[in-house]
Amino acid sequence: MPAPRAARERVALDRTTSGGSDVLWVRLSPDAATGLQNVTHALLDEMLALLDGLTAGGGAEHRPGHVVLQSRHPEHFCVGGDLRLFESCIARGDAVALHDYSMRCLALMLGWSTALASRATSIALVQGRALGGGFEMALGADRIIAEERSTFGFPEIVFGLFPCTGAMGLLQQRVGARQAERMMTNNRLYRARELHAMGIVDEVCADGEGEDAVARFIAERTSRHAAMLAVQRIRLRASGLDRDACIRVVDDWVHAAMHLSTDERRALRTLVLLQGAQTPQPSRHGAGTR
């Protein structure tokens, strides 16, 4: 397993033991240049390399039983895609670059929600906002644990787009297609308690107690983890994401992006400016520490 990353990089790794189980904490840092906790090509590079290592054949005895995804930003789990990249690609008519980025995001989602789930139990620990692709990333985990203050939503409809890397399939597994469609198009922010009542968030804990909630969950299932993994594999066979269907969604998304109206492009620009106006804040954790 790779050593913890340097602070200048986006992904810090910390290998621990909890309840007798080997646990890999994957902590995402904001982009150094912008202070944004979003999905850039740099983050994709690191996360895809990590997933390749976790899902490669062989070496099962060294593979963690649980993988926890957490943000080092104090307010945001992840605010989604790289809106600056979207705007740039749309402005210059570069559908190829936008499609390449979206396919890399899809590869990350498929690796996180499907390939990894047959080998380890993934946990998304949400301590703040999970928006757009960040919400999708949380949905791709086997379990979502959220602190009370956390909020979730899909803002893409504001600028004429929609989630394109698994939201429909992942939500449909939990709440059905009609409710998934409403959530993808109503531009609402949902609180953690509300999503827990809907069956989307698995556990809500008090603010500041997320790490303890993760430790309790792991300890409670360690003695039967092999059976739990087998059940995860059964679930994947029954309702996992279909790669070909997901690729068609990406194709539709890129086509829609390249044909945004003037008003929709103006709305996208406004969101880019709003994101850029955020003041960078200190990280929640030091690299590789709890």
Side-chain angles (χ1 to χ4, degrees):
M1 182 60 56
R5 304 282 184 171
R8 63 182 176 82
E9 297 181 316
R10 297 291 306 273
V11 180
L13 306 178
D14 186 22
R15 199 78 175 254
T16 66
T17 301
S18 180
S21 177
D22 193 12
V23 182
L24 179 67
W25 288 79
V26 180
R27 296 191 174 98
L28 308 183
S29 297
D31 182 81
T34 66
L36 297 178
Q37 186 66 305
N38 62 348
V39 182
T40 62
H41 274 298
L43 179 63
L44 288 168
D45 287 343
E46 293 189 59
M47 285 296 292
L48 289 169
L50 172 62
L51 283 169
D52 283 346
L54 290 172
T55 59
E61 68 277 9
H62 301 299
R63 188 179 295 131
H66 294 82
V67 179
V68 185
L69 188 65
Q70 181 186 30
S71 171
R72 294 179 64 213
H73 192 289
E75 300 297 332
H76 298 145
F77 175 75
C78 180
V79 296
D82 188 345
L83 297 187
R84 294 184 182 202
L85 177 66
F86 296 178
E87 184 185 35
S88 174
C89 289
I90 292 167
R92 65 178 189 268
D94 195 345
V96 173
L98 197 56
H99 191 273
D100 174 69
Y101 169 83
S102 302
M103 286 297 295
R104 298 188 77 217
C105 290
L106 176 59
L108 174 59
M109 181 57 65
L110 290 172
W112 174 239
S113 66
T114 303
L116 179 61
S118 66
R119 295 164 170 81
T121 297
S122 60
I123 303 166
L125 174 55
V126 181
Q127 299 163 297
R129 285 196 170 191
L131 303 179
F135 191 3
E136 287 179 291
M137 195 178 297
L139 287 168
D142 297 306
R143 186 170 183 86
I144 303 174
I145 297 176
E147 292 189 355
E148 188 84 43
R149 66 191 177 92
S150 300
T151 54
F152 304 76
F154 292 114
E156 293 92 336
I157 197 67
V158 170
F159 52 92
L161 289 176
F162 47 88
C164 73
T165 53
M168 175 61 79
L170 293 167
L171 278 172
Q172 186 174 339
Q173 294 172 17
R174 296 172 184 252
V175 294
R178 289 292 187 181
Q179 181 61 31
E181 183 177 357
R182 282 190 287 271
M183 294 182 69
M184 291 167 57
T185 57
N186 62 13
N187 188 33
R188 273 198 58 196
L189 272 182
Y190 292 84
R191 300 199 65 83
R193 287 285 178 194
E194 185 176 3
L195 293 191
H196 181 258
M198 294 168 62
I200 294 173
V201 168
D202 297 290
E203 180 180 350
V204 179
C205 62
D207 294 343
E209 296 185 4
E211 288 90 346
D212 292 337
V214 169
R216 285 194 301 271
F217 169 72
I218 293 172
E220 288 168 0
R221 62 180 277 141
T222 295
S223 63
R224 56 189 189 280
H225 187 56
M228 294 293 191
L229 276 178
V231 173
Q232 283 179 196
R233 289 191 286 268
I234 293 168
R235 170 172 55 82
L236 286 172
R237 289 195 293 269
S239 60
L241 293 180
D242 180 271
R243 184 177 184 275
D244 290 340
C246 288
I247 291 173
R248 290 195 292 274
V249 174
V250 169
D251 292 342
D252 290 343
W253 184 89
V254 172
H255 181 270
M258 301 309 296
H259 292 83
L260 295 182
S261 68
T262 300
D263 286 345
E264 289 165 340
R265 291 176 65 171
R266 188 178 298 117
L268 173 58
R269 179 60 182 161
T270 298
L271 287 179
V272 171
L273 292 173
L274 287 173
Q275 280 192 348
Q278 293 175 344
T279 302
Q281 302 178 58
S283 295
R284 178 182 287 110
H285 300 276
T289 62
R290 288 192 62 185

